[in-house]
Amino acid sequence: MGITYPVLPSSATIGVTAPSSGLYKEQYTLLERAIGRMEDKGYKIRVGDTCWTQYKAKSASAKIRAFELNTMLQDDLIDMIFPPWGGELLIEILEHLDFENIKPKWVLGYSDTSVLLLAMTLKAGIATAHGTNIIDLRGSYADPTTAMWEKVLKTKKNGEIIQYSSEKYQLEWRHENETDCVFHLTEKTKWKTVSNPIFAKGRLLGGCIDVIRHLIGTPYGNVRNFQKQFINDEPIIWYLENCELHTTDLRRTLVQMKLAGWFDHCSAILFGRSPANQTVADYNVIDVYMDLADELGIPVGYDIDCGHMPPQMTFVNGAYAEVRIYNSAGMIKQRFIE
């Protein structure tokens, strides 16, 4: 059947809904500033009610969140869905989503939002975009890596887009003292590999491993069916980022993914920078990466621009990609082909 790629018009209407976490009242200005920045760029914004509520670790009940998201996904006048940020319990809404009647449009975000992104691509064959949250665009400008989200989402079918590794990244969040681009980009970026330079080709899939692992064994995580139905059994390049898992939990999760067949016919695995990865009994994250590379016999890269230590590239689930990592730098070329 092939991958369906949404199109982002220049004067797009963006739907902002909170399928995971909304905002407390003291956080409203974060989203209001981000909306203002988007309107200054010429976008029309429609904000859902779920954005302004937060209770019991979610913006609203599963059915209310799903209803608002379904409404926006089926609305021909909305060109893109841009949640304010991630959260904890997006998985609750999956059983209430109408995947068969989605009007193809971009959904962009990361963290808990990656559950929705991966489920949409695996189940419906619709390309989704793993990248910045709208709240992180509230600054007076976006750094060059983050700013690529627009060029990526405006790439036409059969077109291609190249992104390069960032120059610097943020070591820790300092919300009380944000810069003009929100982030504090102070540390030199170095993409790394377990052994040799990497040159890999395949279809991109991935997200925040803390949460997408819970799709294993559900109707929303059938990777094998996706390979057969939508990508003609082409190899997969997985990109994964760890928000909170310590090394042995990360290791258990990767073994589970392997046993579930998620790494069958995989050409490479890329890990984002992580504030977690705590060593357990002298078992560190490099040990995890080396064990995985040895078991699967594929290249493994890490500390790429993805996840909770920004900035991050925009990865399109389902897109055909070429990845190169060499001399501590990297390049990813994505092609929007069926």
Side-chain angles (χ1 to χ4, degrees):
M1 293 175 59
I3 300 294
T4 300
Y5 296 94
V7 176
L8 183 67
S10 297
S11 56
T13 296
I14 296 175
V16 183
T17 182
S20 184
S21 287
L23 285 77
Y24 293 110
K25 188 172 183 179
E26 59 268 24
Q27 298 169 324
Y28 284 0
T29 58
L30 301 179
L31 182 56
E32 290 166 348
R33 288 166 54 202
I35 290 171
R37 297 295 183 187
M38 300 299 286
E39 290 176 335
D40 289 344
K41 293 169 71 69
Y43 294 105
K44 303 179 184 68
I45 307 295
R46 284 174 50 181
V47 185
D49 294 338
T50 59
C51 294
W52 309 114
T53 54
Q54 178 70 2
Y55 181 66
K56 299 288 187 181
K58 50 201 169 192
S59 63
S61 70
K63 289 186 177 180
I64 289 174
R65 284 179 282 153
F67 177 80
E68 187 170 276
L69 179 59
N70 278 327
T71 300
M72 289 192 178
L73 286 171
Q74 295 171 20
D75 190 336
D76 288 323
L77 299 179
I78 293 179
D79 303 295
M80 174 184 172
I81 306 294
F82 210 169
W85 49 21
E88 301 286 347
L89 295 172
L90 188 145
I91 196 168
E92 292 181 336
I93 76 171
L94 294 183
E95 63 183 311
H96 304 295
L97 295 182
D98 186 0
F99 286 94
E100 294 183 359
N101 290 304
I102 293 173
K103 305 288 178 64
K105 61 192 68 184
W106 285 114
V107 183
L108 173 63
Y110 79 104
S111 193
D112 202 30
T113 304
S114 62
V115 173
L116 171 63
L117 304 177
L118 185 58
M120 276 184 59
T121 299
L122 292 181
K123 196 164 180 65
I126 298 173
T128 54
H130 186 279
T132 186
N133 292 323
I134 191 171
I135 276 183
D136 293 333
L137 297 177
R138 65 186 183 274
S140 58
Y141 72 95
D143 66 272
T145 304
T146 302
M148 283 295 291
W149 73 268
E150 283 186 282
K151 289 185 178 180
V152 173
L153 270 53
K154 289 181 179 180
T155 301
K156 306 296 185 184
K157 181 180 176 182
N158 297 319
E160 66 179 39
I161 184 78
I162 296 176
Q163 297 174 85
Y164 297 95
S165 51
S166 66
E167 292 187 5
K168 293 184 177 181
Y169 71 93
Q170 174 176 281
L171 187 62
E172 60 184 15
W173 292 93
R174 294 167 58 188
H175 297 290
E176 76 289 348
N177 183 30
E178 65 184 47
T179 69
D180 289 341
C181 71
V182 177
F183 307 132
H184 292 265
L185 304 176
T186 59
E187 312 300 309
K188 182 174 176 56
T189 297
K190 293 183 179 180
W191 286 24
K192 303 169 186 174
T193 67
V194 167
S195 54
N196 300 317
I198 290 178
F199 176 49
K201 299 179 181 180
R203 296 283 182 161
L204 288 172
L205 287 178
C208 178
I209 195 168
D210 307 47
V211 289
I212 65 169
R213 61 179 175 168
H214 298 299
L215 297 180
I216 293 172
T218 74
Y220 313 100
N222 194 333
V223 174
R224 188 68 193 122
N225 180 73
F226 168 79
Q227 289 174 297
K228 289 181 178 180
Q229 186 175 357
F230 295 109
I231 61 171
N232 297 315
D233 285 321
E234 291 179 79
I236 291 173
I237 296 174
W238 283 96
Y239 64 91
L240 303 167
E241 63 102 0
N242 175 15
C243 179
E244 297 177 336
L245 307 184
H246 54 63
T247 55
T248 48
D249 197 1
L250 176 63
R251 172 63 176 158
R252 286 192 298 266
T253 299
L254 291 166
V255 172
Q256 182 183 8
M257 293 170 78
K258 180 185 71 172
L259 296 176
W262 278 29
F263 296 147
D264 291 352
H265 203 29
C266 174
S267 57
I269 301 177
L270 311 174
F271 290 91
R273 292 179 294 267
S274 173
N277 290 335
Q278 294 91 348
T279 297
V280 176
D282 80 0
Y283 187 58
N284 62 50
V285 73
I286 305 303
D287 295 324
V288 176
Y289 299 153
M290 292 179 66
D291 286 344
L292 190 65
D294 181 61
E295 289 171 357
L296 299 179
I298 59 173
V300 172
Y302 60 99
D303 287 358
I304 68 166
D305 293 302
C306 176
H308 288 76
M309 297 181 74
Q312 55 187 315
M313 289 183 169
T314 303
F315 291 85
V316 174
N317 289 318
Y320 178 83
E322 296 180 9
V323 177
R324 297 177 186 266
I325 303 178
Y326 49 89
N327 295 332
S328 299
M331 178 278 289
I332 295 182
K333 177 166 67 175
Q334 297 179 87
R335 295 176 60 198
F336 289 7
I337 57 176
E338 291 188 352

